[in-house]
Amino acid sequence: MNAQKLSKRLETVAKFVPTGAVVADIGSDHAYLPCYLIHKGIATSAVAGEVVKGPYESALGQVNKEGLTEKITVRLADGLAAVEATDHVDTVTIAGMGGPLIVSILEKHPQSLQGVTRLILQPNIHAKVIREWALTNNWAILDEDILEEDEKIYEILVLQRGAMTLSPSDILFGPKLLLRKAPAFLKKWQREKENWQRVLQSIEGAEPTLEIEEKRAELTALLDLVEGAL
């Protein structure tokens, strides 16, 4: 992977960036995504934010190597603190982290989202918590995607400002993904179903404590949901 040829995962993130966008890529690592977006004429300018010095220096070096120092600003900062009002960012991408960490980044510097109209989020795990956050923070799901790469399955959520309603199934599986039922979706949730069945089976003979009963009820509810989804 490089700034000219992204991984399948980041290429899918890139396809949701509107033409003419001003992008902030948080946790940018080597800044491959913002460099790609500028090279392809998708973004007009970008901010690459990194909280760790090593990746920050890698991003600086990459942007310099690509000759994009006038188009991409690289900042060493904690999450959305990398975004300044004068950047006029309208699109934020956060990819390659857990869902809870992505939510904590979105919550920590809310003022940085004031001019933002689109969030493109790619959690490695626990996409559910992002949907829960969106539901309570006036963001609506514009689109979703799911893909498999290197034997890992990734979800991508595209949010725009607005209210929405989601059922428990929508929150867990994703409303757009649930409608489409792509092969990666079916593979992911079949795998989860089998895991939950194994755990449920393992506690069947356990002493019926309150904790065990709560776990049994939780797993049974999840299995009911996944049966309806597959």
Side-chain angles (χ1 to χ4, degrees), residues 60-214:
L60 270 178
Q62 189 66 42
V63 169
N64 187 55
K65 177 185 171 186
E66 300 290 332
L68 297 175
T69 53
E70 291 185 7
K71 294 283 189 178
I72 301 173
T73 302
V74 183
R75 292 199 182 107
L76 183 64
D78 181 15
L80 286 167
V83 178
E84 299 176 2
T86 52
D87 297 325
H88 303 293
V89 166
D90 53 45
T91 301
V92 169
T93 57
I94 310 177
M97 307 175 199
L101 179 54
I102 290 174
V103 165
S104 73
I105 288 170
L106 294 170
E107 290 180 338
K108 196 166 185 181
H109 300 283
Q111 71 282 1
S112 296
L113 292 176
Q114 284 180 3
V116 173
T117 55
R118 182 172 294 194
L119 301 173
I120 306 166
L121 311 172
Q122 182 268 297
N124 288 346
I125 55 171
H126 303 314
K128 173 177 179 277
V129 299
I130 295 177
R131 296 187 190 99
E132 290 170 336
W133 174 86
L135 199 55
T136 56
N137 286 274
N138 210 38
W139 287 88
I141 295 171
L142 175 65
D143 209 344
E144 296 175 297
D145 208 341
I146 189 166
L147 62 115
E148 184 173 9
E149 184 173 42
D150 298 330
E151 298 183 7
K152 293 181 181 176
I153 294 174
Y154 301 102
E155 293 179 46
I156 291 140
L157 292 80
V158 186
L159 306 180
Q160 64 181 3
R161 292 190 181 274
M164 64 174 172
T165 56
L166 296 177
S167 69
S169 286
D170 289 336
I171 291 171
L172 182 61
F173 304 113
K176 309 286 188 184
L177 302 180
L178 192 55
L179 280 173
R180 296 174 190 142
K181 290 186 171 66
F185 174 90
L186 296 173
K187 184 173 182 178
K188 173 187 170 75
W189 292 108
Q190 183 62 40
R191 189 186 294 165
E192 289 292 344
K193 176 186 171 183
E194 290 166 4
N195 287 338
W196 293 333
Q197 285 172 330
R198 275 194 294 272
V199 176
L200 187 59
Q201 191 173 16
S202 74
I203 63 174
E204 280 305 324
E207 185 182 344
T209 63
L210 178 61
E211 186 181 0
I212 290 292
E213 290 307 312
E214 286 176 348

Side-chain angles (χ1 to χ4, degrees), residues 17-91:
V17 176
T19 301
V22 178
V23 177
D25 184 39
I26 305 303
S28 196
D29 201 7
H30 287 78
Y32 289 150
L33 179 58
C35 288
Y36 176 91
L37 292 170
I38 297 294
H39 280 315
K40 294 291 183 181
I42 298 168
T44 57
S45 62
V47 174
E50 252 305 335
V51 70
V52 180
K53 192 174 181 185
Y56 161 76
E57 289 173 346
S58 294
L60 270 178
Q62 189 66 42
V63 169
N64 187 55
K65 177 185 171 186
E66 300 290 332
L68 297 175
T69 53
E70 291 185 7
K71 294 283 189 178
I72 301 173
T73 302
V74 183
R75 292 199 182 107
L76 183 64
D78 181 15
L80 286 167
V83 178
E84 299 176 2
T86 52
D87 297 325
H88 303 293
V89 166
D90 53 45
T91 301

